[in-house]
Amino acid sequence: MVKLIKSGDRQAFNLLVTEYQQRVINISYSMLSDREEAYDAAQEVFVKIYRYIGNFRGDSSLSTWIYRITKNVCSDFLRKRREAVISLDEEDEKKIEIGDTSYFPEKHSERAEMLRVLKNAMERLDENSRMVITLYETEDLSYDEISDILNLPVGTVKSRLNRAREKLKNILSENRELFL
Amino acid sequence: MNKCEDVIPILEKYIDDELTETEKQGVEEHLKHCTACSEELAFANAVRTVLKNTEMPKVPSDFLERVNSAVDNTKKKKTFGIFAARTVSTVAACLVIATVLSLNNKDNLTEHMNFHDISAPRTDTETIIIGTDEAEKPNEEKTEEAPKNNEKKIAENNKKVNKTQKKVQPEEHKEVPIKEIPLSTDTSAEEASAADLHENEPAAYSFDAEKENISENKNIPETAIAATGGGGGSSVRMMGGQKSTKSVYADKECIDEIKAKAEEYGLLEDGIYTMDAENYTFFAKAAESIDPQCELPELSGESISFTIKEKGV
């Protein structure tokens, strides 16, 4: 497939998009907590894949390479957002804090509340913690795969994941009863 | 293992089944009698379950279409970029040739066109006038009129041209590294950047070395100064469209580890790491502990952007 895409085969590229689109959107959404932004980021990820596939040598797996691009694109979106937030007034900041709750169909149910609380807690995590939790918990990737994607030793991945979980639990402890 | 403070820190490992058999038994024994730790375990499990079952946005029905049209738009932009770069480079090359030839025939030019003194500072507009057909005509006339054995005079004039060019727009000229002079129409900044991308750094540009020269005003060969002409500097900026970037220089052995640290503390985009002042301080300490001989750029302002390069390359 990679060879075909390298030769400019759009059909092969479309197959790749179809295969990876949900995973890329998942990570983007976990990182950005905004549906539309996640779609935009995912789109940018695939454009980058198309442009730079010629440089993919196969030293790592294709999925690792794609995850790495996704991580970088999300980091870029978050950076741009941080720059934009500076110019927002308090009213707008409040809107961002509340987040996009319209996505959850059972808005008023306990589960929806749990998801909303979790989403807000994830937003309060730092970028590195959010990424490692997303890759491990949401994407179910192994330590080795995460180590490749983040370019970190496995030991660092484990300790970062541990710290991230502790941070998340600390934030969630305000709403602990929801989860018990 | 009867104390809560011993059990709680390893509960996550217990869930991941990463404990030794003895540790595992110890935890299980403790959990039988400790409500607080059992609750902690239930909480940790619940958080994981919710995380794993978080509903994600579905792929929009037109997503593939959106991606394809974005790819097409990028290609169009790229094509335009190449066209623009080639046009600029061709015009720049013409200007250089025309300027050099015209100035070789300074006396003739002055006579025919009533030109300004070439040692006086000129604007880009004036330089462009030199490159027009009218500017070339006297040159042709001169070629016909001038004796063929007048090589000495031409050589002298060339020297004058180099010196004069430096006087004309010294700031602009200093900024132009010779490699970036777009005289060839076979490559573009876009293509070069794409060629340098590899899977470990999905967006690294070979432009960095040249940018470094720009930012630090390193020794630029005179030939580059002479060859760029009035429009050369701006053409480079138009092609690259990037700001100058600082660099961290580290030993080959340590470079990967330092890059990993930089990714940890900052954001990586197009081979350039960007981080705020606080993170840079942490990064600098980490980098120095990895490679005590590494060269770190000084922080100026609230954030810093830099590339990481091998020493001596």
Side-chain angles (χ1 to χ4, degrees):
Chain A
M1 186 196 271
V2 172
K3 268 189 180 178
L4 287 170
I5 301 171
K6 279 183 181 179
S7 71
D9 187 326
R10 191 60 75 88
Q11 212 175 344
F13 172 69
N14 286 344
L15 275 175
L16 178 140
V17 176
T18 313
E19 194 177 324
Y20 285 95
Q21 56 190 5
Q22 186 65 64
R23 276 179 274 178
V24 170
I25 288 172
N26 288 355
I27 297 176
S28 304
Y29 182 69
S30 287
M31 291 302 292
L32 304 169
S33 305
D34 181 281
R35 204 172 6 155
E36 286 309 316
E37 242 188 320
Y39 292 150
D40 289 345
Q43 181 181 304
E44 197 168 316
V45 168
F46 288 110
V47 170
K48 285 200 169 190
I49 290 170
Y50 187 84
R51 272 182 76 184
Y52 299 128
I53 192 89
N55 302 98
F56 174 69
R57 294 178 306 205
D59 291 349
S60 58
S61 72
L62 180 64
S63 59
T64 299
W65 187 66
I66 293 174
Y67 281 130
R68 211 178 281 162
I69 294 176
T70 309
K71 178 212 158 217
N72 288 341
V73 169
C74 288
S75 295
D76 198 37
F77 268 65
L78 287 169
R79 181 180 54 79
K80 283 174 190 162
R81 187 193 287 176
R82 277 197 295 274
E83 285 167 6
V85 161
I86 296 166
S87 63
L88 288 176
D89 58 22
E90 280 183 8
E91 191 75 11
D92 289 335
E93 279 182 25
K94 273 179 197 167
K95 278 180 197 165
I96 283 176
E97 278 167 23
I98 292 161
D100 172 21
T101 50
S102 60
Y103 166 64
F104 305 108
E106 305 159 75
K107 220 188 247 195
H108 305 293
S109 73
E110 196 176 299
R111 179 173 158 70
E113 178 62 7
M114 202 160 33
L115 288 169
R116 192 190 64 79
V117 168
L118 182 71
K119 184 170 172 283
N120 283 345
M122 285 288 278
E123 274 184 75
R124 285 165 64 185
L125 278 182
D126 59 282
E127 193 182 325
N128 287 335
S129 301
R130 209 183 310 168
M131 178 53 81
V132 77
I133 284 189
T134 301
L135 296 176
Y136 189 83
E137 302 288 4
T138 317
E139 287 307 299
D140 219 10
L141 299 181
S142 69
Y143 291 131
D144 284 337
E145 285 171 302
I146 299 171
S147 153
D148 276 349
I149 294 163
L150 301 181
N151 202 14
L152 292 171
V154 171
T156 310
V157 171
K158 284 184 181 177
S159 55
R160 193 182 276 190
L161 181 64
N162 223 23
R163 279 202 305 272
R165 278 180 181 142
E166 290 308 318
K167 283 181 194 170
L168 184 66
K169 282 193 287 183
N170 274 339
I171 299 168
L172 287 173
S173 60
E174 297 162 10
N175 298 88
R176 196 182 170 92
E177 69 289 349
L178 259 176
F179 294 85
L180 293 171
Chain B
M1 195 175 288
N2 295 321
K3 290 178 181 172
C4 295
E5 55 264 39
D6 294 330
V7 172
I8 287 174
I10 57 170
L11 272 180
E12 294 288 349
K13 282 190 175 176
Y14 174 73
I15 299 171
D16 285 327
D17 203 16
E18 287 174 359
L19 295 180
T20 63
E21 203 53 41
T22 324
E23 284 174 326
K24 195 175 163 185
Q25 280 172 7
V27 170
E28 282 169 355
E29 195 58 37
H30 178 84
L31 290 171
K32 281 180 191 168
H33 310 288
C34 180
T35 326
C37 285
S38 298
E39 202 176 273
E40 195 61 37
L41 177 68
F43 178 55
N45 268 323
V47 170
R48 286 187 181 213
T49 310
V50 179
L51 274 169
K52 283 203 191 301
N53 296 307
T54 302
E55 288 173 58
M56 291 294 172
K58 285 179 184 157
V59 179
S61 54
D62 64 344
F63 186 70
L64 195 60
E65 204 180 307
R66 276 166 62 172
V67 168
N68 275 287
S69 78
V71 165
D72 291 338
N73 283 341
T74 313
K75 277 172 92 181
K76 274 179 201 166
K77 273 185 203 165
K78 192 178 169 183
T79 314
F80 176 74
I82 294 166
F83 171 75
R86 285 178 180 176
T87 309
V88 168
S89 62
T90 311
V91 168
C94 290
L95 284 174
V96 170
I97 293 162
T99 310
V100 170
L101 290 174
S102 303
L103 292 173
N104 275 343
N105 303 296
K106 179 189 164 190
D107 298 340
N108 203 321
L109 273 173
T110 316
E111 192 181 309
H112 285 268
M113 299 183 71
N114 194 20
F115 240 138
H116 305 286
D117 182 354
I118 55 165
S119 62
R122 281 203 298 260
T123 62
D124 279 350
T125 323
E126 286 170 331
T127 315
I128 289 164
I129 293 166
I130 299 171
T132 60
D133 290 339
E134 285 121 310
E136 283 171 10
K137 275 177 197 168
N139 185 31
E140 286 163 18
E141 286 165 27
K142 174 78 182 178
T143 313
E144 284 165 20
E145 287 167 21
K148 283 182 185 174
N149 61 359
N150 202 7
E151 284 174 14
K152 269 190 180 177
K153 195 178 175 185
I154 292 170
E156 276 171 21
N157 275 341
N158 277 338
K159 278 184 191 170
K160 276 184 195 171
V161 168
N162 285 344
K163 285 177 187 171
T164 314
Q165 289 278 5
K166 276 188 271 182
K167 281 181 191 171
V168 171
Q169 288 174 330
E171 291 310 311
E172 292 243 335
H173 292 151
K174 271 186 190 173
E175 288 179 4
V176 183
I178 191 161
K179 283 183 185 174
E180 289 303 315
I181 300 165
L183 293 175
S184 163
T185 53
D186 294 326
T187 56
S188 72
E190 285 265 342
E191 283 165 341
S193 66
D196 280 336
L197 280 163
H198 59 79
E199 58 207 272
N200 291 324
E201 291 173 39
Y205 287 83
S206 66
F207 200 61
D208 293 344
E210 282 68 38
K211 283 192 292 187
E212 175 102 338
N213 280 339
I214 294 169
S215 67
E216 294 179 11
N217 278 337
K218 285 186 178 169
N219 297 333
I220 311 296
E222 260 192 34
T223 41
I225 296 167
T228 50
S234 57
S235 79
V236 170
R237 280 191 290 275
M238 282 165 73
M239 284 177 68
Q242 295 183 29
K243 290 181 283 184
S244 60
T245 309
K246 296 172 178 175
S247 289
V248 169
Y249 290 96
D251 193 66
K252 190 183 176 184
E253 305 292 317
C254 309
I255 206 154
D256 287 340
E257 212 180 328
I258 289 180
K259 279 183 177 176
K261 275 286 165 207
E263 273 204 68
E264 199 176 320
Y265 287 107
L267 302 168
L268 172 62
E269 173 68 10
D270 295 344
I272 297 168
Y273 299 87
T274 303
M275 58 185 74
D276 61 29
E278 192 186 355
N279 276 7
Y280 182 69
T281 314
F282 288 121
F283 163 74
K285 276 182 191 165
E288 275 173 344
S289 71
I290 296 165
D291 177 6
Q293 303 299 316
C294 73
E295 292 166 22
L296 295 152
E298 273 187 31
L299 185 67
S300 54
E302 288 178 0
S303 70
I304 185 166
S305 293
F306 59 88
T307 57
I308 300 177
K309 292 175 185 168
E310 197 182 315
K311 261 187 199 168
V313 175

